[in-house]
Amino acid sequence: MQSIQIVRAGQDAAAGASLDTPRYIRMHANDNVAIVVNDGGLKAGAVFADGLTLLGAVPQGHKVALSDVRQGEPVTRYNVTIGYAACDIAAGSWVSEANLRMPDALELSGLPIATRAAPVMEPLEGYTFEGYRNADGSVGTRNILAITTTVQCVSGVVDHAVRRIKETLLPLYPNVDDVVGLEHSYGCGVAIEAPGADIPIRTLRNISQNPNFGGQAMVVSLGCEKLQPARLFPKGSIPILNGREPATVCLQDAGHVGFMSMIDSIVATADEQLKVLNARRRETCSAADLVVGVQCGGSDAFSGVTANPAVGYATDLLVRAGATVMFSEVTEVRDGIDQLTSRAADPEVAAAMIREMEWYDAYLKRGGVDRSANTTPGNKAGGLSNIVEKAMGSIVKSGSSAISGVLSPGEKLGARRGLIYAATPASDFICGTLQVAAGMNIHVFTTGRGTPYGLAPVPVIKVATRNDLARRWHDLMDVNAGRIASGEATIEDVGWELFRLMLDVASGRQTWAEHWKLHNALTLFNPAPVT
Ligand code: CA
């Protein structure tokens, strides 16, 4: 991966220039475009300190040509070709989707395999947090009772029961943080024997074992659904952390007469689980016990300049501390797969990465689209012209360590440690759900356009890419990486701030999403047919 070098026109803003002075950021000395930094963008005639003059207005975050680019020549950002000029582009022009032709996806054969030695990084020792250690060695950052459901049919009943548990039981168990119904739209009306059905089923099975749930599992089933409890947790091979069978309540059991019988049964079962969870205590754990899932959503052109590089710096700190970091989002790494296969720790890891890309290419093709279906109207308004440019900014979240393992969607981390590629869709909720299944205990989420995203099972730390977003959403964003663009902080500063905040949050400090109880629905990835 290229090292990120922020080149500002003229004097650094921090060195006294006004924030109104026209400024751009170039990501690499070889780039022939740069993005406009100024809030509100710049008007035609704006002159940068190096003499470059804008020929037309350019919005904030959008690209300006630094030199003349002839039709057909590459347009380069991050030292990568993000497109080809669709017409002659004069220096000082706005470069956007309108005058760029997107490159084809990279071939998945002939890629560089484990060719790049990881930079030598000194181990980082002595960093700890206060977590809940589980019997299997995993560590929770929260103490939550999860109620697994086998099918959407039971959701209304489980919601009702959860409300009652929170009102009547939770106050009796002060060491338990929350009660969460693991509700989803899967379980029936699906082709459960289809090969792709493995993914939603193992996802749900593994979510139920997230370290924050302390190895206690209880299940609410309807009775007639395709996803029977025995299929979700097969007998004898139940990987429940404490080795106990999950307690199950079946709503169609003949013993239930009336709605309140079902509710009483769920509440009584929850009471038994809460007694066990309430005995958990935080203890000092090494930073190596963190399992951090990183992703981005509502990205803009600053994502790859401020927030994601700061996350990448923090990722390197975590790996140095022995922790595990998962990065994901297949369509947002597909155009940089050569960077990733070259960083694989060994050929098996590279082969697994290629296998995941091939699977996803085929999945998209079945739906009649390709990776270009990823970008949103908001991405484009934020300056990202296409998926190639977006991917280059997304990959930097992975830092610079060697990639030591690969997870397929819904798989559990198991014994894997270090920097892991967890293959998931880029969809925020699906990616987050799959990272919960993999076993993350802290989630870091960067956003440029702004999203109030949060998850009930795992604390989410949100990082803003721009000062303007951080100012307006001051009680939703936990970290402001926009200070990197304005010259008030460096990537290293924000990376360390994020690393320290992760340890605090892992120890119990609330994020804004937790403060407001903002919880997006768990969304299972089901590539198989519904019936
Ligand atoms: Ca995402």
Side-chain angles (χ1 to χ4, degrees):
M1 180 174 302
Q2 72 287 335
S3 65
I4 289 182
Q5 178 194 13
I6 297 189
V7 182
R8 291 188 178 79
Q11 294 293 307
D12 193 295
S18 152
L19 290 181
D20 296 333
T21 306
R23 284 172 303 134
Y24 64 67
I25 292 178
R26 175 160 56 175
M27 295 306 291
H28 192 279
N30 293 342
D31 293 355
N32 58 6
V33 292
I35 64 166
V36 166
V37 175
N38 304 68
D39 283 344
L42 291 173
K43 295 193 171 79
V47 182
F48 295 95
D50 63 356
L52 181 73
T53 304
L54 283 188
L55 301 182
V58 178
Q60 186 190 32
H62 284 248
K63 293 176 287 299
V64 54
L66 300 174
S67 56
D68 293 340
V69 188
R70 286 168 190 253
Q71 184 177 1
E73 286 182 348
V75 169
T76 306
R77 190 173 172 223
Y78 298 101
N79 198 28
V80 166
T81 299
I82 60 164
Y84 298 94
C87 55
D88 289 344
I89 301 173
S93 303
W94 181 8
V95 179
S96 74
E97 192 188 10
N99 52 10
L100 270 188
R101 185 173 61 75
M102 195 172 94
D104 293 333
L106 294 172
E107 293 288 335
L108 290 176
S109 56
L111 290 166
I113 303 295
T115 47
R116 188 178 301 216
V120 178
M121 295 192 288
E122 252 181 74
L124 206 55
E125 281 161 11
Y127 289 90
T128 60
F129 69 100
E130 299 298 310
Y132 296 99
R133 192 169 292 288
N134 294 313
D136 70 344
S138 70
V139 172
T141 60
R142 297 292 181 269
N143 189 17
I144 297 171
L145 170 65
I147 302 179
T148 302
T149 63
T150 51
V151 67
Q152 170 68 22
C153 310
V154 304
S155 291
V157 175
V158 169
D159 276 345
H160 189 104
V162 166
R163 279 198 300 274
R164 207 168 102 188
I165 294 164
K166 284 184 177 178
E167 283 164 19
T168 62
L169 284 183
L170 208 50
L172 307 176
Y173 300 109
N175 293 329
V176 181
D177 294 312
D178 204 0
V179 180
V180 174
L182 300 179
E183 291 157 16
H184 54 84
S185 60
Y186 197 72
C188 210
V190 292
I192 207 154
E193 302 291 348
D198 274 359
I199 292 178
I201 297 171
R202 73 182 175 215
T203 301
L204 189 56
R205 178 183 304 138
N206 291 335
I207 286 175
S208 307
Q209 302 167 70
N210 184 278
N212 285 354
F213 304 150
Q216 293 302 301
M218 64 172 281
V219 183
V220 176
S221 148
L222 180 62
C224 59
E225 67 273 27
K226 281 194 172 162
L227 182 57
Q228 290 287 304
R231 186 167 199 142
L232 181 60
F233 297 114
K235 245 191 168 56
S237 62
I238 298 172
I240 294 300
L241 296 178
N242 62 6
R244 291 179 3 170
E245 302 285 327
T248 302
V249 176
C250 176
L251 301 191
Q252 290 173 351
D253 267 358
H256 289 309
V257 179
F259 176 60
M260 277 307 148
S261 163
M262 300 172 190
I263 297 297
D264 289 345
S265 176
I266 296 170
V267 171
T269 306
D271 195 26
E272 293 304 309
Q273 310 294 318
L274 285 167
K275 281 190 179 76
V276 180
L277 290 173
N278 196 52
R280 292 175 98 196
R281 293 289 183 277
R282 289 191 184 270
E283 57 185 274
T284 302
C285 300
S286 160
D289 291 318
L290 289 179
V291 178
V292 179
V294 300
Q295 73 152 322
C296 46
S299 297
D300 66 5
F302 286 100
S303 297
V305 177
T306 60
N308 292 350
V311 169
Y313 191 86
T315 294
D316 284 347
L317 295 177
L318 288 161
V319 172
R320 286 171 59 191
T324 299
V325 182
M326 295 182 284
F327 70 110
S328 296
E329 301 170 296
V330 172
T331 50
E332 293 176 14
V333 306
R334 178 65 180 80
D335 284 284
I337 185 61
D338 54 335
Q339 298 175 29
L340 299 185
T341 53
S342 64
R343 286 171 60 198
D346 57 48
E348 287 71 36
V349 168
M353 227 149 8
I354 292 168
R355 183 193 68 218
E356 294 301 333
M357 298 298 119
E358 284 171 339
W359 186 92
Y360 215 89
D361 280 359
Y363 165 72
L364 291 174
K365 198 173 172 189
R366 276 206 310 278
V369 294
D370 63 19
R371 89 272 193 224
S372 68
N374 173 302
T375 37
T376 66
N379 294 153
K380 290 174 183 176
L384 294 171
S385 295
N386 59 36
I387 185 60
V388 184
E389 185 179 15
K390 184 176 176 180
M392 295 310 132
S394 177
I395 284 177
V396 297
K397 297 195 298 295
S398 66
S400 58
S401 312
I403 300 164
S404 57
V406 177
L407 295 182
S408 293
E411 281 186 344
K412 209 175 156 188
L413 194 59
R416 300 173 186 86
R417 291 290 177 272
L419 180 63
I420 303 294
Y421 182 66
T424 75
S427 157
D428 298 346
F429 330 103
I430 297 179
C431 172
T433 298
L434 291 167
Q435 290 185 340
V436 173
M440 77 168 157
N441 52 23
I442 290 277
H443 198 18
V444 173
F445 190 100
T446 69
T447 184
R449 306 294 296 172
T451 159
Y453 178 86
L455 294 174
V458 175
V460 179
I461 296 172
K462 288 204 294 296
V463 185
T465 73
R466 294 176 296 125
N467 285 340
D468 178 56
L469 177 67
R471 178 183 58 77
R472 289 185 292 113
W473 287 32
H474 59 90
D475 50 5
L476 288 164
M477 294 291 139
D478 300 288
V479 175
N480 175 18
R483 294 173 296 141
I484 295 167
S486 57
E488 298 159 89
T490 63
I491 288 169
E492 292 78 6
D493 294 337
V494 179
W496 272 105
E497 178 187 338
L498 184 55
F499 176 73
R500 294 198 170 95
L501 180 61
M502 282 189 252
L503 293 169
D504 285 351
V505 169
S507 302
R509 175 172 163 181
Q510 280 201 330
T511 65
W512 278 117
E514 287 181 297
H515 174 81
W516 300 119
K517 300 195 189 320
L518 305 180
H519 300 153
N520 288 100
L522 291 176
T523 311
L524 297 180
F525 179 37
N526 177 26
V530 294
T531 61

